[in-house]
Amino acid sequence: MFFKKKETVAMVDDRLRHIAFIMDGNGRWAKKRSMPREFGHVNGAKTFKKIIRYCGDKGVKIITVYAFSTENWKRPKNEVDAIMKLLSDYIDDAVASVDENNIQLHFLGDMSIFPENIKAKIENAEKVSADKELVLNIALNYGARAEIAHACEVLIKEGKTNVSEDDVTGALYTAHCQDPDLIVRTGGDLRLSNFLLWQAAYAEFYFTDTLWPDLDEREIDKIIDDFYTRKRRYGGI
Ligand code: FPP
């Protein structure tokens, strides 16, 4: 006789409050299927939703994703448009179901580049989700060096003549949350690509060859298990 094993999700604890993802490999995923790159992004957006849900269910408190860098504008217009449409649709869905998904949305990056209607949509999404629990940071038109330079400008405008690390941390787009404990990059490249340079100071890193649309719950479990084998010493012994 077979008894169906009860599915239980092993929860994370306070050592793993914040996971950041570099969602790389959408284009190659599509190419492998002889499909246009946009098809990869559509499936990347599906994976994004699945991974957010799963990490939230596991008790992760903060999730950050690298959705669009300041360099990504160099891509063909139809690809940029496709990514922006997916983001815009996601914001609409997230706002419409804000009470069920319990997601507190934040956008990291220079939003001034976007047209007024998009800026208003972003502001509204942040406002209506502000009392929700799971913090989701979407890095959009984001570059970490630009973020640090922007933080310096903010501090200069405030009239600061002495600047501490805490001052810089508090002037970054991520001022509302703690640094990532773990940064995961899919797609096989071993680099940060101008993502969270300041915040990554003591993060653990996990690189996988898996292309973003293929990332699944099983691999998240593996990544989390691996994280718990790490000894974080923060410069101590
Ligand atoms: C990198 O893969 C991915 C991007 C630049 C875009 C990420 C966008 C999504 C996952 C979809 C929309 C997101 C949300 C939050 C709804 P790549 O295109 O550089 O892949 P490649 O290295 O294989 O070319």
Side-chain angles (χ1 to χ4, degrees):
M1 183 169 351
F2 294 99
F3 292 99
K4 191 167 183 287
K5 204 169 147 231
K6 192 166 176 275
E7 291 293 334
T8 47
V9 178
M11 303 295 281
V12 299
D13 60 18
D14 273 352
R15 283 174 289 177
L16 185 51
R17 289 174 58 83
H18 183 174
I19 308 185
F21 291 96
I22 301 177
M23 309 185 286
D24 199 13
N26 293 348
R28 279 165 285 164
W29 188 90
K31 194 168 178 214
K32 270 169 68 178
R33 289 159 179 79
S34 308
M35 294 295 281
R37 296 178 57 83
E38 292 74 16
F39 183 67
H41 297 310
V42 168
N43 284 277
K46 287 184 191 159
T47 298
F48 156 80
K49 288 176 212 159
K50 179 174 74 182
I51 297 299
I52 302 306
R53 202 174 316 119
Y54 190 61
C55 289
D57 287 348
K58 287 188 78 82
V60 175
K61 303 279 186 284
I62 307 161
I63 301 166
T64 302
V65 294
Y66 204 0
F68 197 85
S69 76
T70 45
E71 287 74 35
N72 287 150
W73 297 107
K74 293 179 204 149
R75 295 182 180 217
K77 185 176 180 308
N78 56 339
E79 182 174 347
V80 170
D81 288 349
I83 296 173
M84 291 302 156
K85 168 95 173 64
L86 287 166
L87 281 161
S88 173
D89 289 350
Y90 175 71
I91 297 172
D92 291 342
D93 289 352
V95 166
S97 57
V98 70
D99 289 328
E100 299 99 83
N101 64 32
N102 205 17
I103 290 174
Q104 185 188 125
L105 276 170
H106 294 265
F107 290 83
L108 317 179
D110 178 7
M111 298 301 123
S112 68
I113 196 166
F114 293 107
E116 287 307 321
N117 62 328
I118 301 292
K119 276 194 281 192
K121 187 187 263 224
I122 286 171
E123 266 171 40
N124 177 58
E126 291 185 332
K127 204 169 110 199
V128 301
S129 66
D131 63 340
K132 302 303 173 204
E133 216 173 340
L134 173 62
V135 172
L136 172 59
N137 299 316
I138 300 183
L140 180 59
N141 191 33
Y142 175 89
R145 287 182 172 183
E147 178 187 33
I148 295 167
H150 174 261
C152 295
E153 275 182 7
V154 169
L155 296 172
I156 290 167
K157 281 194 191 126
E158 284 174 4
K160 285 250 185 308
T161 48
N162 287 300
V163 171
S164 67
E165 290 188 13
D166 284 347
D167 290 332
V168 177
T169 299
L172 295 173
Y173 297 126
T174 48
H176 57 280
C177 65
Q178 67 177 72
D179 289 344
D181 301 297
L182 172 63
I183 298 180
V184 176
R185 180 174 188 141
T186 58
D189 284 327
L190 309 179
R191 54 176 172 258
L192 262 183
S193 300
N194 204 14
F195 185 51
L196 303 180
L197 296 183
W198 179 277
Q199 300 88 334
Y202 290 104
E204 298 294 325
F205 291 88
Y206 191 99
F207 297 97
T208 171
D209 288 337
T210 301
L211 303 174
W212 175 258
D214 286 330
L215 189 69
D216 61 12
E217 292 90 341
R218 229 166 33 163
E219 190 162 10
I220 292 291
D221 284 342
K222 193 172 143 212
I223 293 168
I224 290 177
D225 285 349
D226 182 83
F227 172 84
Y228 278 107
T229 67
R230 312 276 181 101
K231 299 253 177 307
R232 300 183 78 192
R233 288 188 291 274
Y234 301 96
I237 52 170

